[in-house]
Amino acid sequence: MRSTAGRSLWIDTHGHPQLGRPAAHSASVVVVSTHRGDWPRVRGYGGRVFGRAYGVHPWWCDTVESDATWFEDLEAFLREEPSAIVGEIGLDGLRGAQNKNLQSEGFE
């Protein structure tokens, strides 16, 4: 939270407004991708954007398993938008362990 002229300014640092989930109570949002097919929507989102993040959410790690160029394409997105950060990324067991091993392999 920032304070400007005595007012609080809330920034949603983990939003997916490109998927129809707007940050209703925030002044702006970091638009975070969920998978490779989402990157163009993140780039094109024109709402109250504080920043953009490109990556692959652990739930969708299987979508890049057989894609030999996904990492190079991610690097290209980041070079084209130097203020962007990497995200989603990580390990997530909320949906169970169906792709736990695959998620772990992504960090090797």
Side-chain angles (χ1 to χ4, degrees):
M1 176 177 64
R2 285 191 221 168
S3 180
T4 58
R7 298 179 321 161
S8 295
L9 175 66
W10 293 93
I11 299 170
D12 181 347
T13 61
H14 187 158
H16 301 290
Q18 79 281 9
L19 301 177
R21 302 179 191 141
H25 301 291
S26 299
S28 61
V29 63
V30 176
V31 185
V32 181
S33 68
T34 55
H35 54 82
R36 181 182 178 163
D38 198 27
W39 299 346
R41 285 189 297 268
V42 168
R43 175 172 285 158
Y45 181 75
R48 304 174 319 252
V49 176
F50 184 78
R52 290 182 174 82
Y54 300 100
V56 178
H57 190 286
W59 294 352
W60 284 275
C61 63
D62 59 334
T63 66
V64 296
E65 178 182 21
S66 62
D67 184 346
T69 65
W70 81 270
F71 192 77
E72 290 80 12
D73 294 342
L74 174 60
E75 287 179 324
F77 262 78
L78 295 170
R79 275 193 304 274
E80 291 169 12
E81 193 172 342
S83 62
I85 59 175
V86 175
E88 294 266 353
I89 192 166
L91 301 174
D92 192 327
L94 185 61
R95 285 191 179 174
Q98 71 266 24
N99 66 0
K100 182 179 178 184
N101 291 336
L102 188 57
Q103 289 181 34
S104 297
E105 288 172 15
F107 284 100
E108 293 179 2

